[in-house]
Amino acid sequence: MRKRVLLPMILLLALLLCACGGKSYFSVDDVDMLLDAGVFGDSDMEELDDDVLLMLYGIDEATVLKCDGYLAANTSVSADELVLFVMQDEDAAEAAVEACRKRLNAQLDMCRTHCPDAVPRLEHAYLRRLDNTVLLAVGDSAFIEELMKD
């Protein structure tokens, strides 16, 4: 009798824990998934060197454990980009979020006059922080949101 009651309760608890627990951090797997899914449309994405990425975002290398970034190959017609920052602590992660916001605002200012078709993608960019990781994706925002649901 005890086994019949205990096993279903354990299974129910496991199910509830799985349903409640979402993603706790971003990883290179998320970057690869977004690149492979086609959320950047016709944009050919080029990988950025870590030094260039950190300079572009104005982030102190000493606060970064890992970074990964891609930009549209033809930035004159596309503002698509994908960036992952794995930071050393929460303060550094929050600073990375602010650096991403600053970059997005600069891109918006530039695109309003030089490539207005890119403005909606920038305005609806996916920018999220989970723990000490930050993910920025400028592309098909609805598709990105759907893929990144917990």
Side-chain angles (χ1 to χ4, degrees), residues 101-111:
R101 282 193 185 114
K102 185 176 176 181
R103 165 105 174 126
L104 282 172
N105 288 332
Q107 289 292 91
L108 267 167
D109 289 344
M110 190 270 304
C111 285

Side-chain angles (χ1 to χ4, degrees), residues 76 109-116:
S76 63
D109 289 344
M110 190 270 304
C111 285
R112 282 190 177 106
T113 55
H114 297 304
C115 59

Side-chain angles (χ1 to χ4, degrees), residues 26-27 30-31 34 68 82-85 97 100 126-130 133-137 144 148:
F26 294 113
S27 71
D30 295 310
V31 170
L34 289 171
D68 202 5
L82 176 61
V83 179
L84 168 69
F85 292 109
V97 169
C100 289
Y126 180 92
L127 175 58
R128 303 285 188 282
R129 176 181 153 231
L130 291 177
T133 64
V134 177
L135 184 73
L136 169 65
I144 293 167
M148 297 309 294

Side-chain angles (χ1 to χ4, degrees), residues 14-134:
L15 248 169
L16 288 172
L17 288 174
C18 289
C20 292
K23 179 184 287 275
S24 59
Y25 62 90
F26 294 113
S27 71
V28 174
D29 291 340
D30 295 310
V31 170
D32 292 341
M33 184 256 313
L34 289 171
L35 287 170
D36 293 341
V39 300
F40 304 105
D42 295 333
S43 297
D44 289 327
M45 302 295 280
E46 291 186 357
E47 188 169 10
L48 293 175
D49 191 49
D50 290 356
D51 294 334
V52 172
L53 182 62
L54 295 174
M55 180 199 64
L56 194 61
Y57 281 83
I59 294 178
D60 180 8
E61 180 181 4
T63 65
V64 180
L65 298 177
K66 177 170 181 31
C67 60
D68 202 5
Y70 296 83
L71 286 181
N74 187 352
T75 56
S76 63
V77 295
S78 175
D80 289 355
E81 59 188 85
L82 176 61
V83 179
L84 168 69
F85 292 109
V86 180
M87 307 304 285
Q88 69 181 9
D89 58 34
E90 288 186 19
D91 290 338
E94 196 54 43
V97 169
E98 288 308 311
C100 289
R101 282 193 185 114
K102 185 176 176 181
R103 165 105 174 126
L104 282 172
N105 288 332
Q107 289 292 91
L108 267 167
D109 289 344
M110 190 270 304
C111 285
R112 282 190 177 106
T113 55
H114 297 304
C115 59
D117 291 343
V119 169
R121 286 169 98 92
L122 288 162
E123 288 177 334
H124 301 290
Y126 180 92
L127 175 58
R128 303 285 188 282
R129 176 181 153 231
L130 291 177
D131 194 29
N132 295 345
T133 64
V134 177

